[in-house]
Amino acid sequence: MNKNIVLTTGIYDVIKDHLRRKRVSPNEEQRLTEELRNAKQVRRRELPDDVVTVNRKVVVKDHTSDQEQEYIFVSTTKAKPKKNKHSILSEMALATVGYRVGDIIRWPFREGERTIEILQVEPFEG
């Protein structure tokens, strides 16, 4: 099992609400529930810069397909996938939120379990 994730209280609450509304697969629900139970909650200003959260540009390596992909995670109201701006509640965001650079995550994506690694996290303004 991976180490405990670090979330702001606001993101914790948004994910908890998303789970209550049953917007994820049963496997994702089980995994997220477990992660939230063990998550460390912090204030926004206390969140380390290398942790995946909203308004961050994240580079992820999918070890299953051996491909790198960049994502920009934004609030649900600012999501524009065609401009690479993905909701913090998108499948990849939920898989990586709270993790930090160097973490390797095995996640039950809808199309099957994949192993992903967080290569880079940086602030995104826009």
Side-chain angles (χ1 to χ4, degrees):
M1 191 73 223
N2 296 303
K3 61 186 176 185
N4 296 351
I5 60 173
V6 180
L7 302 171
T8 62
T9 302
I11 295 297
Y12 178 93
D13 291 342
V14 166
I15 295 171
K16 195 89 164 153
D17 184 59
H18 193 64
L19 284 171
R20 269 195 292 272
R21 295 169 185 257
K22 301 286 187 192
R23 301 277 170 97
V24 294
S25 72
N27 287 339
E28 286 175 303
E29 179 180 13
Q30 179 182 356
R31 178 69 181 269
L32 283 167
T33 300
E34 190 174 313
E35 288 194 347
L36 290 179
R37 188 178 304 122
N38 299 313
K40 178 181 178 187
Q41 291 184 55
V42 299
R43 292 189 182 103
R44 178 88 177 153
R45 67 179 176 273
E46 297 167 351
L47 191 70
D49 291 337
D50 67 342
V51 171
V52 177
T53 191
V54 71
N55 296 326
R56 299 264 166 103
K57 188 187 308 183
V58 180
V59 178
V60 173
K61 179 172 185 172
D62 184 335
H63 287 277
T64 308
S65 65
D66 200 33
Q67 293 184 332
E68 288 183 20
Q69 181 79 37
E70 180 181 281
Y71 298 88
I72 298 168
F73 297 134
V74 296
S75 67
T76 55
T77 58
K78 295 182 180 177
K80 292 184 171 86
K82 288 184 180 175
K83 294 187 176 186
N84 200 31
K85 294 180 181 177
H86 301 272
S87 164
I88 194 65
L89 296 175
S90 68
E91 193 173 24
M92 184 58 75
L94 289 173
T96 58
V97 70
Y99 287 98
R100 47 188 351 150
V101 172
D103 286 345
I104 297 175
I105 307 148
R106 292 185 64 152
W107 191 260
F109 287 92
R110 287 184 185 99
E111 68 276 0
E113 186 170 89
R114 292 171 22 206
T115 301
I116 51 177
E117 179 179 359
I118 300 170
L119 300 178
Q120 182 180 345
V121 177
E122 58 187 57
F124 174 76
E125 303 287 327

